[in-house]
Amino acid sequence: MKTYIGIDLGGTNIKGAVVNEQGEIIRQSAWPTHAEQGVETVTATIADMIRDLAKGEDIAGVGLGCPGTVDDKCGTVVYACNLGWINYDVRSALKKLTGFSVRLVNDANAAALAEVVAGAAKGAESAVVVPLGTGVGGGVVIGGKLLTGYTGAASELGHMVIVADGVPCACGRKGCFEAYASATALIRMTDEAMSAHPESAMHQIAAELGGVDGRTAFAAQQAGDPVGDAVVRQYIRYLSIGIANIVNIFFPEVVALSGGVANQGENLLAPLRREVSQQEYGAAYTAKHPRIACCTLGNTAGMIGAAMFAKG
Amino acid sequence: MKTYIGIDLGGTNIKGAVVNEQGEIIRQSAWPTHAEQGVETVTATIADMIRDLAKGEDIAGVGLGCPGTVDDKCGTVVYACNLGWINYDVRSALKKLTGFSVRLVNDANAAALAEVVAGAAKGAESAVVVPLGTGVGGGVVIGGKLLTGYTGAASELGHMVIVADGVPCACGRKGCFEAYASATALIRMTDEAMSAHPESAMHQIAAELGGVDGRTAFAAQQAGDPVGDAVVRQYIRYLSIGIANIVNIFFPEVVALSGGVANQGENLLAPLRREVSQQEYGAAYTAKHPRIACCTLGNTAGMIGAAMFAKG
């Protein structure tokens, strides 16, 4: 059976795996990135990992998942701010070192492809994966193919304005989905509510959990705190606006959430589904509705997706 | 050379054409729809037109462009409010009457496909067409294929919220792109500004043009009226938010505008391009940017696109 190597290049670790055609991991490894040692050292580490994983395998292709913007047509990382890489021809460098002509894919896009091959959206004809982490990313798979766009930078779903003139976003726009639906946004809403409500149970919960994070408001809601409940409702309302936009634009078979906030599971999904269904265009006239779920592959998704992107 | 029949089913007229593989119209006709005579009569008219157009031609396929939601997999018009059609199996009906197994496509999607085959986005690897009319529609073509989604109802770009809690939209949501960027929205903004500014030149211009419409504010701006100028700027700002969202989601090679407002040409496009470029994610790191243009096929786009959809 043919196998593929998928590399997930992160700011902290480089993870790699040998993956079969079904998206199953056969073996894997993880080494520190040491981005501070510069682009040539990081590239040499990736090459060493590829050679190491390839030993004794019949490798039909290698995929590299990178943060930021990649151009698979040209073989370059256009811009990856975590790594400090700008217009770097990583394909040529890795070709010299390993002999493989590596396919390039954005890491969030790779994760989305993995969920369609082997995870929450397995077998779906179309799926949109929305990571709710420090920021809000996105990956769109249609008919088994990733939406990468003319520039290779498509599906920046977090940088869709949902509140004109709203909260400033790191990208320079105001009111982006990311500024209302990321874990960072949830923490901001939690902080604001805690400042306004010294009586809220969130103060004690935050102290017990070692500080305010994306879990604080959900934990308070579960404990019956009305302020925590209001924060969660506010957050889910904004999340539903962005997800409903995505539904009305793509009408995918599956919308799958990942990232820290998605760990809330049904506490997040059940109210989210209710809110989205009310905003779905033409919902009354069709029995088919997107299924909203959580991703299932966790931090293996990047490796599996990079390998499956190389499979093509 | 193979030819295709494309039918554009509208509330007022049924337009049909024989179209060659390059998307060129060989001959065409237009008959009244008479939707009020019911679904069987309208279907019989479509069948007559198909038979009439097919005479003496080697027809390789027939496409039917319909308003509303269509399900090409099932062969049904799911919901077309202008026609009063709900879950109507038009493919079976037309198969019996004509012998052709007709492909079904949403009319705005058909128009988008036509612009990629033979119009403003000819040869583009991806394009998004945005009609700015009574409402705001959408059609997305990626790698020569239409984005239709799991339900057949994808690319409802007008029903993407850009102003949470904003102006109510006909769809039931608040703050949709359509509620800020349609010709209807421009007329609302014009009316509001005229009420607030009795001194504006827009009053005289509207009187001369036979009433307020989508041209009033643009004409006033050209005549040096500061109130008209402010309305146009406000409209283009909201339009740019939605178009920039579309760019950040799809990063298409071309974004093409159609509908009455697009007749303003460069008076609309030049400021729009400036505003969108400032909101494009990662614009500083790539030399590739979507080209923003006006559609060129006018009201033949629906027929051409339906024929090209049948070509597949």
Side-chain angles (χ1 to χ4, degrees):
Chain A
M1 189 192 239
K2 279 184 186 172
T3 56
Y4 300 84
I5 290 174
I7 305 287
D8 183 6
L9 172 58
T12 308
N13 288 303
I14 300 168
K15 293 181 290 186
V18 177
V19 179
N20 70 16
E21 291 183 85
Q22 277 77 51
E24 295 158 341
I25 291 178
I26 294 168
R27 57 199 183 89
Q28 57 183 305
S29 52
W31 299 348
T33 306
H34 291 307
E36 75 287 353
Q37 295 183 11
V39 59
E40 288 188 14
T41 305
V42 174
T43 307
T45 307
I46 296 168
D48 285 346
M49 183 178 279
I50 291 170
R51 279 189 300 250
D52 186 59
L53 289 166
K55 271 178 203 158
E57 300 282 350
D58 178 20
I59 299 296
V62 180
L64 175 64
C66 302
T69 308
V70 302
D71 186 335
D72 184 54
K73 283 180 200 146
C74 301
T76 55
V77 174
V78 178
Y79 179 62
C81 66
N82 289 345
L83 300 165
W85 293 9
I86 294 176
N87 286 318
Y88 172 49
D89 185 353
V90 66
R91 181 180 291 152
S92 292
L94 287 172
K95 175 85 179 170
K96 275 181 206 159
L97 293 168
T98 70
F100 288 108
S101 186
V102 170
R103 296 288 305 272
L104 301 182
V105 59
N106 168 272
D107 54 0
N109 287 357
L113 185 59
E115 294 290 340
V116 170
V117 173
K122 189 172 175 174
E125 71 89 29
S126 53
V128 179
V129 171
V130 184
L132 307 171
T134 308
V136 172
V140 179
V141 182
I142 300 166
K145 299 288 177 195
L146 271 173
L147 172 69
T148 52
Y150 176 55
T151 62
S155 67
E156 287 292 350
L157 306 179
H159 301 289
M160 158 178 73
V161 165
I162 62 168
V163 185
D165 302 317
V167 172
C169 181
C171 77
R173 299 182 85 187
K174 285 182 180 173
C176 282
F177 184 37
E178 172 165 306
Y180 289 86
S182 60
T184 313
L186 174 56
I187 292 167
R188 183 188 72 235
M189 293 172 194
T190 304
D191 278 332
E192 287 169 0
M194 288 171 69
S195 296
H197 294 278
E199 81 286 4
S200 166
M202 291 197 287
H203 292 278
Q204 193 185 333
I205 289 167
E208 286 168 3
L209 290 172
V212 174
D213 61 24
R215 299 169 297 175
T216 312
F218 280 95
Q221 182 190 46
Q222 293 300 307
D225 177 47
V227 183
D229 181 64
V231 170
V232 169
R233 286 170 183 272
Q234 177 189 27
Y235 173 78
I236 291 177
R237 199 179 136 262
Y238 284 117
L239 178 61
S240 78
I241 291 174
I243 299 293
N245 282 358
I246 289 165
V247 166
N248 289 351
I249 292 168
F250 291 104
F251 274 91
E253 187 172 347
V254 178
V255 177
L257 307 179
S258 64
V261 182
N263 291 331
Q264 296 299 330
E266 287 299 314
N267 291 336
L268 175 73
L269 293 177
L272 179 65
R273 289 188 192 109
R274 280 196 299 274
E275 296 252 359
V276 171
S277 68
Q278 289 165 13
Q279 301 175 69
E280 187 188 323
Y281 187 76
Y285 305 105
T286 173
K288 291 180 185 172
H289 305 278
R291 178 164 61 85
I292 300 177
C294 287
C295 289
T296 60
L297 298 175
N299 59 17
T300 65
M303 293 182 287
I304 295 170
M308 293 299 96
F309 188 71
K311 177 170 174 269
Chain B
M1 190 193 241
K2 280 183 185 172
T3 55
Y4 300 84
I5 290 175
I7 305 287
D8 182 6
L9 172 58
T12 308
N13 287 302
I14 300 169
K15 293 180 290 185
V18 178
V19 178
N20 69 15
E21 290 183 89
Q22 277 77 52
E24 295 159 341
I25 291 178
I26 294 168
R27 60 199 183 88
Q28 58 184 307
S29 53
W31 299 347
T33 306
H34 291 307
E36 76 285 354
Q37 295 183 13
V39 59
E40 287 187 16
T41 305
V42 174
T43 306
T45 307
I46 296 169
D48 286 346
M49 183 177 280
I50 291 170
R51 280 190 299 251
D52 186 60
L53 289 166
K55 272 179 202 156
E57 301 281 350
D58 178 21
I59 299 297
V62 180
L64 175 63
C66 300
T69 307
V70 302
D71 186 336
D72 184 54
K73 283 178 201 148
C74 300
T76 56
V77 173
V78 178
Y79 178 63
C81 66
N82 289 344
L83 300 165
W85 292 9
I86 294 176
N87 286 318
Y88 172 50
D89 185 354
V90 66
R91 181 180 292 153
S92 293
L94 286 172
K95 175 87 179 171
K96 275 181 206 157
L97 293 168
T98 70
F100 288 108
S101 186
V102 170
R103 296 288 305 275
L104 301 182
V105 59
N106 168 271
D107 54 0
N109 287 357
L113 184 59
E115 294 290 341
V116 171
V117 173
K122 189 171 177 174
E125 71 88 32
S126 53
V128 179
V129 171
V130 184
L132 307 171
T134 309
V136 172
V140 179
V141 183
I142 300 167
K145 298 288 177 195
L146 271 172
L147 172 69
T148 53
Y150 177 53
T151 62
S155 67
E156 287 291 351
L157 306 179
H159 301 289
M160 157 179 73
V161 165
I162 63 167
V163 184
D165 301 317
V167 172
C169 180
C171 77
R173 299 183 84 187
K174 286 182 179 174
C176 282
F177 184 36
E178 173 166 306
Y180 289 86
S182 59
T184 313
L186 173 57
I187 292 167
R188 183 188 74 237
M189 293 172 193
T190 303
D191 279 332
E192 286 170 1
M194 287 171 69
S195 296
H197 295 278
E199 80 286 5
S200 166
M202 291 197 288
H203 292 279
Q204 193 185 335
I205 289 167
E208 287 168 3
L209 290 173
V212 174
D213 62 23
R215 299 169 297 176
T216 313
F218 279 96
Q221 183 190 47
Q222 293 300 307
D225 178 47
V227 182
D229 181 63
V231 170
V232 169
R233 285 170 183 272
Q234 178 190 26
Y235 172 78
I236 291 178
R237 198 179 137 262
Y238 284 117
L239 178 61
S240 79
I241 291 173
I243 298 293
N245 283 358
I246 289 166
V247 166
N248 289 351
I249 292 168
F250 291 104
F251 274 92
E253 187 173 346
V254 177
V255 176
L257 307 179
S258 64
V261 182
N263 291 331
Q264 297 299 330
E266 286 299 313
N267 291 336
L268 175 75
L269 292 177
L272 178 64
R273 289 188 192 109
R274 278 197 299 274
E275 296 252 1
V276 171
S277 68
Q278 289 164 13
Q279 300 175 70
E280 187 188 323
Y281 187 77
Y285 304 106
T286 174
K288 290 180 185 173
H289 305 279
R291 177 164 61 86
I292 301 177
C294 286
C295 289
T296 60
L297 298 175
N299 59 17
T300 65
M303 294 181 287
I304 295 171
M308 293 300 95
F309 187 71
K311 176 170 174 271

